[in-house]
Amino acid sequence: MQLLPFYMVCDESGSMAGGGVDAINAALPDLHQEISTNPSVADKTRFALIGFSTQASVLQPLADLSELTQLPSLSAGGVTSFGAAFRLLKDTIEKDVAVLKGEGHDVYRPVVFFLSDGIPTDEGWRTALNELNAFRYAPKIIAFGISDADAATITEVANFKAFIQQNDSISPAVALREFASSLTRSIVSSATSMAAQGGDGFQLQVDEQVPGFTSLSLDKL
Protein backbone atom coordinates (compact mmCIF):
# COMPACT_ATOMS: atom_id res chain seq x y z
CA MET A 1 0.00 0.00 0.00
CA GLN A 2 1.15 3.54 -0.76
CA LEU A 3 1.28 5.77 2.32
CA LEU A 4 1.88 9.47 2.88
CA PRO A 5 3.01 10.33 6.44
CA PHE A 6 2.04 13.74 7.88
CA TYR A 7 3.69 15.25 10.95
CA MET A 8 2.11 18.19 12.78
CA VAL A 9 4.91 19.89 14.73
CA CYS A 10 3.57 22.47 17.19
CA ASP A 11 5.19 25.07 19.40
CA GLU A 12 4.22 24.42 23.03
CA SER A 13 6.37 27.17 24.58
CA GLY A 14 5.05 29.40 27.34
CA SER A 15 3.88 32.06 24.89
CA MET A 16 1.35 29.56 23.50
CA ALA A 17 -0.35 29.31 26.93
CA GLY A 18 -4.05 30.05 27.08
CA GLY A 19 -5.51 30.96 23.70
CA GLY A 20 -2.78 29.34 21.60
CA VAL A 21 -2.88 25.74 22.81
CA ASP A 22 -6.61 26.03 23.47
CA ALA A 23 -7.24 26.90 19.83
CA ILE A 24 -5.13 23.99 18.56
CA ASN A 25 -6.73 21.58 21.05
CA ALA A 26 -10.18 22.73 19.92
CA ALA A 27 -9.25 22.15 16.26
CA LEU A 28 -7.71 18.68 16.66
CA PRO A 29 -11.05 16.82 17.04
CA ASP A 30 -12.24 18.33 13.74
CA LEU A 31 -9.06 17.19 11.99
CA HIS A 32 -9.44 13.72 13.48
CA GLN A 33 -13.13 13.52 12.52
CA GLU A 34 -12.56 14.70 8.95
CA ILE A 35 -9.85 12.14 8.23
CA SER A 36 -10.86 9.15 10.36
CA THR A 37 -14.37 9.03 8.88
CA ASN A 38 -13.09 9.08 5.29
CA PRO A 39 -11.75 5.55 4.66
CA SER A 40 -9.98 6.37 1.40
CA VAL A 41 -8.09 9.21 3.12
CA ALA A 42 -7.30 7.31 6.33
CA ASP A 43 -6.06 4.33 4.31
CA LYS A 44 -3.50 6.35 2.38
CA THR A 45 -2.23 8.70 5.10
CA ARG A 46 -0.65 8.42 8.52
CA PHE A 47 -0.59 11.21 11.11
CA ALA A 48 1.71 12.09 14.01
CA LEU A 49 1.73 15.00 16.46
CA ILE A 50 4.95 16.41 17.92
CA GLY A 51 5.09 19.21 20.49
CA PHE A 52 8.18 21.23 21.33
CA SER A 53 9.27 23.81 23.88
CA THR A 54 12.46 23.39 25.94
CA GLN A 55 12.37 19.74 24.82
CA ALA A 56 10.39 18.00 22.08
CA SER A 57 8.13 14.99 22.44
CA VAL A 58 6.01 12.72 20.26
CA LEU A 59 2.50 13.33 21.60
CA GLN A 60 0.84 11.02 19.06
CA PRO A 61 3.00 8.41 17.31
CA LEU A 62 2.39 7.96 13.60
CA ALA A 63 -0.99 6.26 13.19
CA ASP A 64 -3.96 5.54 10.97
CA LEU A 65 -6.44 8.10 12.33
CA SER A 66 -9.35 5.72 11.77
CA GLU A 67 -7.83 3.50 14.48
CA LEU A 68 -7.75 6.28 17.11
CA THR A 69 -10.68 7.50 19.18
CA GLN A 70 -9.09 10.91 19.78
CA LEU A 71 -5.87 12.90 19.55
CA PRO A 72 -3.87 14.03 22.60
CA SER A 73 -3.85 17.64 23.77
CA LEU A 74 -1.06 20.18 23.71
CA SER A 75 0.06 22.01 26.85
CA ALA A 76 2.22 25.14 27.05
CA GLY A 77 5.37 25.96 29.04
CA GLY A 78 9.09 26.46 28.56
CA VAL A 79 11.15 28.09 25.83
CA THR A 80 11.23 27.63 22.04
CA SER A 81 13.87 25.08 21.03
CA PHE A 82 13.59 24.60 17.27
CA GLY A 83 16.64 22.33 17.36
CA ALA A 84 14.93 19.91 19.75
CA ALA A 85 11.99 19.71 17.34
CA PHE A 86 14.14 19.07 14.27
CA ARG A 87 16.32 16.44 15.97
CA LEU A 88 13.30 14.52 17.26
CA LEU A 89 11.58 14.83 13.90
CA LYS A 90 14.56 13.33 12.06
CA ASP A 91 14.84 10.40 14.49
CA THR A 92 11.08 9.79 14.45
CA ILE A 93 10.75 9.89 10.66
CA GLU A 94 13.72 7.54 10.27
CA LYS A 95 12.15 4.95 12.60
CA ASP A 96 8.63 5.39 11.21
CA VAL A 97 9.64 4.97 7.57
CA ALA A 98 11.69 1.88 8.45
CA VAL A 99 8.65 0.33 10.16
CA LEU A 100 6.28 1.16 7.28
CA LYS A 101 8.72 -0.20 4.70
CA GLY A 102 9.20 -3.29 6.85
CA GLU A 103 5.44 -3.83 6.67
CA GLY A 104 5.69 -3.76 2.89
CA HIS A 105 4.34 -0.26 2.23
CA ASP A 106 5.52 2.18 -0.42
CA VAL A 107 6.19 5.36 1.53
CA TYR A 108 6.03 8.83 0.00
CA ARG A 109 8.30 11.59 1.24
CA PRO A 110 6.94 12.67 4.64
CA VAL A 111 5.17 16.01 5.01
CA VAL A 112 5.66 18.32 8.00
CA PHE A 113 3.30 21.12 9.01
CA PHE A 114 5.39 23.23 11.38
CA LEU A 115 3.89 25.93 13.61
CA SER A 116 5.55 28.50 15.88
CA ASP A 117 4.47 31.74 17.50
CA GLY A 118 7.95 33.04 18.32
CA ILE A 119 11.69 33.14 17.74
CA PRO A 120 13.92 30.09 18.36
CA THR A 121 15.72 30.37 21.70
CA ASP A 122 18.47 27.84 20.93
CA GLU A 123 21.71 28.67 19.11
CA GLY A 124 22.21 25.47 17.14
CA TRP A 125 18.81 25.04 15.53
CA ARG A 126 20.07 25.63 11.99
CA THR A 127 22.49 22.70 12.32
CA ALA A 128 19.62 20.44 13.34
CA LEU A 129 17.48 21.75 10.45
CA ASN A 130 20.31 21.16 7.96
CA GLU A 131 20.70 17.58 9.19
CA LEU A 132 16.95 17.03 8.82
CA ASN A 133 17.02 18.40 5.27
CA ALA A 134 20.09 16.36 4.32
CA PHE A 135 19.02 12.89 5.42
CA ARG A 136 17.53 10.28 3.11
CA TYR A 137 13.92 10.70 4.22
CA ALA A 138 14.06 14.50 4.42
CA PRO A 139 10.48 15.77 4.68
CA LYS A 140 8.68 18.48 2.78
CA ILE A 141 8.18 21.27 5.32
CA ILE A 142 5.29 23.72 5.28
CA ALA A 143 5.95 26.32 7.98
CA PHE A 144 3.42 28.65 9.62
CA GLY A 145 4.28 31.59 11.85
CA ILE A 146 1.76 33.31 14.11
CA SER A 147 1.90 36.15 16.68
CA ASP A 148 5.55 37.15 17.21
CA ALA A 149 7.08 34.71 14.73
CA ASP A 150 9.70 36.16 12.39
CA ALA A 151 8.96 35.88 8.68
CA ALA A 152 12.62 35.35 7.74
CA THR A 153 12.94 32.50 10.26
CA ILE A 154 9.73 30.82 9.09
CA THR A 155 10.99 31.07 5.49
CA GLU A 156 14.26 29.45 6.56
CA VAL A 157 12.46 26.53 8.23
CA ALA A 158 10.21 25.85 5.22
CA ASN A 159 11.39 24.02 2.14
CA PHE A 160 8.00 23.70 0.40
CA LYS A 161 5.71 26.56 1.51
CA ALA A 162 5.71 29.23 4.22
CA PHE A 163 2.97 31.39 5.69
CA ILE A 164 2.99 34.23 8.24
CA GLN A 165 -0.04 35.52 10.14
CA GLN A 166 -1.50 38.86 9.08
CA ASN A 167 -1.64 40.26 12.61
CA ASP A 168 -3.86 43.17 11.67
CA SER A 169 -6.62 41.07 10.11
CA ILE A 170 -6.85 37.93 12.22
CA SER A 171 -6.35 36.86 15.84
CA PRO A 172 -3.87 34.12 16.81
CA ALA A 173 -6.74 31.83 17.84
CA VAL A 174 -8.42 32.18 14.44
CA ALA A 175 -5.03 31.80 12.72
CA LEU A 176 -4.47 28.52 14.54
CA ARG A 177 -7.83 27.19 13.41
CA GLU A 178 -6.95 28.14 9.82
CA PHE A 179 -3.60 26.35 10.20
CA ALA A 180 -5.37 23.16 11.34
CA SER A 181 -7.92 23.48 8.53
CA SER A 182 -5.16 23.90 5.95
CA LEU A 183 -3.41 20.77 7.25
CA THR A 184 -6.68 18.83 7.11
CA ARG A 185 -7.36 19.98 3.53
CA SER A 186 -3.84 18.98 2.51
CA ILE A 187 -4.24 15.47 3.92
CA VAL A 188 -7.63 14.97 2.26
CA SER A 189 -6.61 16.48 -1.10
CA SER A 190 -3.30 14.64 -1.24
CA ALA A 191 -4.93 11.28 -0.48
CA THR A 192 -7.53 11.96 -3.16
CA SER A 193 -4.76 12.81 -5.63
CA MET A 194 -2.95 9.57 -4.74
CA ALA A 195 -6.09 7.57 -5.43
CA ALA A 196 -6.72 9.34 -8.73
CA GLN A 197 -3.15 9.01 -9.96
CA GLY A 198 -2.66 5.47 -8.74
CA GLY A 199 0.56 6.73 -7.19
CA ASP A 200 2.11 7.77 -10.50
CA GLY A 201 2.56 11.49 -10.96
CA PHE A 202 1.19 12.18 -7.49
CA GLN A 203 1.60 15.76 -6.30
CA LEU A 204 1.43 16.89 -2.69
CA GLN A 205 -1.60 19.15 -2.33
CA VAL A 206 -1.06 22.25 -0.17
CA ASP A 207 -3.07 25.48 -0.09
CA GLU A 208 -1.63 28.32 -2.17
CA GLN A 209 -3.33 30.81 0.15
CA VAL A 210 -4.58 30.40 3.74
CA PRO A 211 -7.12 32.90 5.14
CA GLY A 212 -5.48 35.38 7.50
CA PHE A 213 -1.95 34.47 6.39
CA THR A 214 0.51 35.93 3.90
CA SER A 215 2.30 33.42 1.70
CA LEU A 216 6.08 33.92 1.90
CA SER A 217 8.42 33.41 -1.04
CA LEU A 218 11.06 30.72 -0.60
CA ASP A 219 12.98 31.91 -3.67
CA LYS A 220 14.88 34.79 -2.07
CA LEU A 221 18.65 34.47 -2.21
Side-chain angles (χ1 to χ4, degrees), residues 23-50:
I24 285 287
N25 290 337
L28 285 171
D30 294 337
L31 181 151
H32 177 256
Q33 169 78 9
E34 182 86 19
I35 293 153
S36 64
T37 56
N38 188 331
S40 62
V41 174
D43 276 355
K44 290 187 163 39
T45 59
R46 295 291 181 267
F47 179 84
L49 177 60
I50 289 175

mmCIF file of all heavy atoms in Angstrom, residues 23-50:
data_model
loop_
_atom_site.group_PDB
_atom_site.id
_atom_site.type_symbol
_atom_site.label_atom_id
_atom_site.label_comp_id
_atom_site.label_asym_id
_atom_site.label_seq_id
_atom_site.Cartn_x
_atom_site.Cartn_y
_atom_site.Cartn_z
ATOM 1 N N ALA A 23 -6.733 26.872 21.197
ATOM 2 C CA ALA A 23 -7.239 26.901 19.825
ATOM 3 C C ALA A 23 -6.831 25.648 19.060
ATOM 4 O O ALA A 23 -7.637 25.061 18.319
ATOM 5 C CB ALA A 23 -6.740 28.157 19.110
ATOM 6 N N ILE A 24 -5.581 25.219 19.226
ATOM 7 C CA ILE A 24 -5.134 23.990 18.563
ATOM 8 C C ILE A 24 -5.902 22.786 19.109
ATOM 9 O O ILE A 24 -6.381 21.934 18.351
ATOM 10 C CB ILE A 24 -3.617 23.786 18.763
ATOM 11 C CG1 ILE A 24 -2.831 24.752 17.876
ATOM 12 C CG2 ILE A 24 -3.202 22.350 18.438
ATOM 13 C CD1 ILE A 24 -2.842 24.411 16.401
ATOM 14 N N ASN A 25 -6.023 22.712 20.440
ATOM 15 C CA ASN A 25 -6.727 21.576 21.046
ATOM 16 C C ASN A 25 -8.185 21.518 20.602
ATOM 17 O O ASN A 25 -8.758 20.437 20.431
ATOM 18 C CB ASN A 25 -6.637 21.644 22.572
ATOM 19 C CG ASN A 25 -5.225 21.357 23.073
ATOM 20 O OD1 ASN A 25 -4.436 20.719 22.380
ATOM 21 N ND2 ASN A 25 -4.904 21.832 24.260
ATOM 22 N N ALA A 26 -8.789 22.689 20.388
ATOM 23 C CA ALA A 26 -10.181 22.726 19.922
ATOM 24 C C ALA A 26 -10.297 22.288 18.465
ATOM 25 O O ALA A 26 -11.331 21.758 18.041
ATOM 26 C CB ALA A 26 -10.744 24.143 20.088
ATOM 27 N N ALA A 27 -9.217 22.497 17.691
ATOM 28 C CA ALA A 27 -9.254 22.154 16.264
ATOM 29 C C ALA A 27 -8.908 20.688 15.992
ATOM 30 O O ALA A 27 -9.307 20.129 14.967
ATOM 31 C CB ALA A 27 -8.287 23.059 15.500
ATOM 32 N N LEU A 28 -8.163 20.058 16.905
ATOM 33 C CA LEU A 28 -7.712 18.679 16.656
ATOM 34 C C LEU A 28 -8.860 17.678 16.483
ATOM 35 O O LEU A 28 -8.782 16.803 15.613
ATOM 36 C CB LEU A 28 -6.766 18.220 17.772
ATOM 37 C CG LEU A 28 -5.348 18.804 17.707
ATOM 38 C CD1 LEU A 28 -4.560 18.459 18.964
ATOM 39 C CD2 LEU A 28 -4.600 18.315 16.467
ATOM 40 N N PRO A 29 -9.951 17.769 17.263
ATOM 41 C CA PRO A 29 -11.048 16.820 17.039
ATOM 42 C C PRO A 29 -11.656 16.930 15.641
ATOM 43 O O PRO A 29 -12.059 15.920 15.058
ATOM 44 C CB PRO A 29 -12.075 17.201 18.120
ATOM 45 C CG PRO A 29 -11.270 17.846 19.189
ATOM 46 C CD PRO A 29 -10.175 18.577 18.474
ATOM 47 N N ASP A 30 -11.701 18.155 15.095
ATOM 48 C CA ASP A 30 -12.238 18.327 13.738
ATOM 49 C C ASP A 30 -11.325 17.654 12.712
ATOM 50 O O ASP A 30 -11.793 17.004 11.775
ATOM 51 C CB ASP A 30 -12.375 19.818 13.398
ATOM 52 C CG ASP A 30 -13.417 20.512 14.263
ATOM 53 O OD1 ASP A 30 -14.308 19.814 14.783
ATOM 54 O OD2 ASP A 30 -13.336 21.745 14.423
ATOM 55 N N LEU A 31 -10.019 17.838 12.877
ATOM 56 C CA LEU A 31 -9.057 17.192 11.989
ATOM 57 C C LEU A 31 -9.223 15.677 12.061
ATOM 58 O O LEU A 31 -9.298 14.995 11.028
ATOM 59 C CB LEU A 31 -7.637 17.614 12.393
ATOM 60 C CG LEU A 31 -6.464 17.066 11.586
ATOM 61 C CD1 LEU A 31 -5.304 18.058 11.617
ATOM 62 C CD2 LEU A 31 -5.963 15.728 12.105
ATOM 63 N N HIS A 32 -9.299 15.165 13.283
ATOM 64 C CA HIS A 32 -9.444 13.716 13.479
ATOM 65 C C HIS A 32 -10.728 13.205 12.833
ATOM 66 O O HIS A 32 -10.731 12.189 12.120
ATOM 67 C CB HIS A 32 -9.439 13.402 14.979
ATOM 68 C CG HIS A 32 -9.664 11.959 15.291
ATOM 69 N ND1 HIS A 32 -10.861 11.485 15.760
ATOM 70 C CD2 HIS A 32 -8.855 10.869 15.157
ATOM 71 C CE1 HIS A 32 -10.772 10.160 15.915
ATOM 72 N NE2 HIS A 32 -9.568 9.788 15.562
ATOM 73 N N GLN A 33 -11.831 13.923 13.059
ATOM 74 C CA GLN A 33 -13.130 13.516 12.519
ATOM 75 C C GLN A 33 -13.117 13.486 10.994
ATOM 76 O O GLN A 33 -13.579 12.543 10.359
ATOM 77 C CB GLN A 33 -14.197 14.499 13.037
ATOM 78 C CG GLN A 33 -15.568 14.379 12.376
ATOM 79 C CD GLN A 33 -16.364 13.202 12.911
ATOM 80 O OE1 GLN A 33 -15.955 12.578 13.881
ATOM 81 N NE2 GLN A 33 -17.475 12.902 12.276
ATOM 82 N N GLU A 34 -12.565 14.552 10.410
ATOM 83 C CA GLU A 34 -12.560 14.700 8.955
ATOM 84 C C GLU A 34 -11.815 13.549 8.274
ATOM 85 O O GLU A 34 -12.226 13.035 7.244
ATOM 86 C CB GLU A 34 -11.895 16.034 8.601
ATOM 87 C CG GLU A 34 -11.855 16.362 7.131
ATOM 88 C CD GLU A 34 -13.119 17.047 6.635
ATOM 89 O OE1 GLU A 34 -13.870 17.587 7.448
ATOM 90 O OE2 GLU A 34 -13.327 17.018 5.413
ATOM 91 N N ILE A 35 -10.702 13.147 8.862
ATOM 92 C CA ILE A 35 -9.852 12.144 8.227
ATOM 93 C C ILE A 35 -10.260 10.723 8.618
ATOM 94 O O ILE A 35 -10.333 9.831 7.777
ATOM 95 C CB ILE A 35 -8.374 12.417 8.573
ATOM 96 C CG1 ILE A 35 -7.962 13.734 7.901
ATOM 97 C CG2 ILE A 35 -7.464 11.282 8.107
ATOM 98 C CD1 ILE A 35 -6.865 14.459 8.568
ATOM 99 N N SER A 36 -10.563 10.520 9.890
ATOM 100 C CA SER A 36 -10.860 9.154 10.363
ATOM 101 C C SER A 36 -12.150 8.605 9.779
ATOM 102 O O SER A 36 -12.320 7.397 9.651
ATOM 103 C CB SER A 36 -10.929 9.117 11.886
ATOM 104 O OG SER A 36 -12.001 9.896 12.371
ATOM 105 N N THR A 37 -13.084 9.498 9.408
ATOM 106 C CA THR A 37 -14.370 9.032 8.876
ATOM 107 C C THR A 37 -14.361 8.918 7.355
ATOM 108 O O THR A 37 -15.376 8.590 6.755
ATOM 109 C CB THR A 37 -15.512 9.987 9.302
ATOM 110 O OG1 THR A 37 -15.195 11.316 8.862
ATOM 111 C CG2 THR A 37 -15.680 9.994 10.813
ATOM 112 N N ASN A 38 -13.229 9.185 6.739
ATOM 113 C CA ASN A 38 -13.088 9.082 5.290
ATOM 114 C C ASN A 38 -12.112 7.944 4.996
ATOM 115 O O ASN A 38 -10.904 8.133 4.989
ATOM 116 C CB ASN A 38 -12.561 10.413 4.730
ATOM 117 C CG ASN A 38 -12.572 10.440 3.217
ATOM 118 O OD1 ASN A 38 -12.439 9.409 2.573
ATOM 119 N ND2 ASN A 38 -12.723 11.625 2.654
ATOM 120 N N PRO A 39 -12.630 6.727 4.773
ATOM 121 C CA PRO A 39 -11.748 5.552 4.663
ATOM 122 C C PRO A 39 -10.659 5.689 3.607
ATOM 123 O O PRO A 39 -9.521 5.275 3.834
ATOM 124 C CB PRO A 39 -12.710 4.413 4.306
ATOM 125 C CG PRO A 39 -14.048 4.881 4.767
ATOM 126 C CD PRO A 39 -14.045 6.372 4.631
ATOM 127 N N SER A 40 -10.984 6.287 2.465
ATOM 128 C CA SER A 40 -9.980 6.373 1.398
ATOM 129 C C SER A 40 -8.838 7.308 1.788
ATOM 130 O O SER A 40 -7.706 7.140 1.348
ATOM 131 C CB SER A 40 -10.619 6.834 0.085
ATOM 132 O OG SER A 40 -11.160 8.129 0.232
ATOM 133 N N VAL A 41 -9.141 8.296 2.645
ATOM 134 C CA VAL A 41 -8.087 9.208 3.121
ATOM 135 C C VAL A 41 -7.284 8.548 4.238
ATOM 136 O O VAL A 41 -6.049 8.559 4.231
ATOM 137 C CB VAL A 41 -8.706 10.537 3.604
ATOM 138 C CG1 VAL A 41 -7.636 11.424 4.241
ATOM 139 C CG2 VAL A 41 -9.371 11.265 2.444
ATOM 140 N N ALA A 42 -7.981 7.958 5.199
ATOM 141 C CA ALA A 42 -7.301 7.310 6.327
ATOM 142 C C ALA A 42 -6.400 6.179 5.856
ATOM 143 O O ALA A 42 -5.312 5.966 6.406
ATOM 144 C CB ALA A 42 -8.330 6.804 7.334
ATOM 145 N N ASP A 43 -6.838 5.458 4.819
ATOM 146 C CA ASP A 43 -6.058 4.330 4.305
ATOM 147 C C ASP A 43 -4.709 4.761 3.741
ATOM 148 O O ASP A 43 -3.735 4.024 3.816
ATOM 149 C CB ASP A 43 -6.828 3.618 3.178
ATOM 150 C CG ASP A 43 -7.816 2.620 3.724
ATOM 151 O OD1 ASP A 43 -7.842 2.421 4.947
ATOM 152 O OD2 ASP A 43 -8.584 2.054 2.926
ATOM 153 N N LYS A 44 -4.682 5.941 3.131
ATOM 154 C CA LYS A 44 -3.497 6.355 2.377
ATOM 155 C C LYS A 44 -2.567 7.276 3.173
ATOM 156 O O LYS A 44 -1.464 7.584 2.716
ATOM 157 C CB LYS A 44 -3.925 7.060 1.083
ATOM 158 C CG LYS A 44 -4.543 6.095 0.075
ATOM 159 C CD LYS A 44 -4.805 6.780 -1.241
ATOM 160 C CE LYS A 44 -5.011 5.779 -2.366
ATOM 161 N NZ LYS A 44 -5.783 4.591 -2.002
ATOM 162 N N THR A 45 -3.031 7.749 4.326
ATOM 163 C CA THR A 45 -2.230 8.697 5.096
ATOM 164 C C THR A 45 -1.979 8.179 6.505
ATOM 165 O O THR A 45 -2.726 7.340 7.014
ATOM 166 C CB THR A 45 -2.925 10.068 5.191
ATOM 167 O OG1 THR A 45 -4.204 9.913 5.809
ATOM 168 C CG2 THR A 45 -3.097 10.696 3.816
ATOM 169 N N ARG A 46 -0.926 8.680 7.109
ATOM 170 C CA ARG A 46 -0.650 8.424 8.518
ATOM 171 C C ARG A 46 -0.363 9.781 9.164
ATOM 172 O O ARG A 46 0.145 10.685 8.502
ATOM 173 C CB ARG A 46 0.544 7.481 8.704
ATOM 174 C CG ARG A 46 0.308 6.068 8.158
ATOM 175 C CD ARG A 46 -0.725 5.320 8.980
ATOM 176 N NE ARG A 46 -0.945 3.960 8.495
ATOM 177 C CZ ARG A 46 -1.885 3.613 7.621
ATOM 178 N NH1 ARG A 46 -2.675 4.552 7.102
ATOM 179 N NH2 ARG A 46 -2.042 2.369 7.263
ATOM 180 N N PHE A 47 -0.676 9.918 10.443
ATOM 181 C CA PHE A 47 -0.590 11.212 11.110
ATOM 182 C C PHE A 47 0.128 11.076 12.440
ATOM 183 O O PHE A 47 -0.120 10.135 13.196
ATOM 184 C CB PHE A 47 -1.997 11.776 11.345
ATOM 185 C CG PHE A 47 -2.013 13.110 12.041
ATOM 186 C CD1 PHE A 47 -1.845 14.294 11.339
ATOM 187 C CD2 PHE A 47 -2.213 13.185 13.422
ATOM 188 C CE1 PHE A 47 -1.855 15.525 11.982
ATOM 189 C CE2 PHE A 47 -2.226 14.416 14.074
ATOM 190 C CZ PHE A 47 -2.052 15.582 13.350
ATOM 191 N N ALA A 48 1.023 12.038 12.717
ATOM 192 C CA ALA A 48 1.713 12.090 14.007
ATOM 193 C C ALA A 48 1.696 13.525 14.508
ATOM 194 O O ALA A 48 1.677 14.475 13.714
ATOM 195 C CB ALA A 48 3.147 11.595 13.883
ATOM 196 N N LEU A 49 1.725 13.674 15.835
ATOM 197 C CA LEU A 49 1.729 14.997 16.460
ATOM 198 C C LEU A 49 2.954 15.118 17.367
ATOM 199 O O LEU A 49 3.157 14.278 18.255
ATOM 200 C CB LEU A 49 0.447 15.196 17.276
ATOM 201 C CG LEU A 49 0.313 16.502 18.067
ATOM 202 C CD1 LEU A 49 0.356 17.714 17.137
ATOM 203 C CD2 LEU A 49 -0.989 16.493 18.877
ATOM 204 N N ILE A 50 3.763 16.134 17.106
ATOM 205 C CA ILE A 50 4.955 16.412 17.915
ATOM 206 C C ILE A 50 4.815 17.802 18.527
ATOM 207 O O ILE A 50 4.440 18.759 17.833
ATOM 208 C CB ILE A 50 6.234 16.324 17.054
ATOM 209 C CG1 ILE A 50 6.518 14.863 16.677
ATOM 210 C CG2 ILE A 50 7.443 16.931 17.780
ATOM 211 C CD1 ILE A 50 7.695 14.670 15.732
#
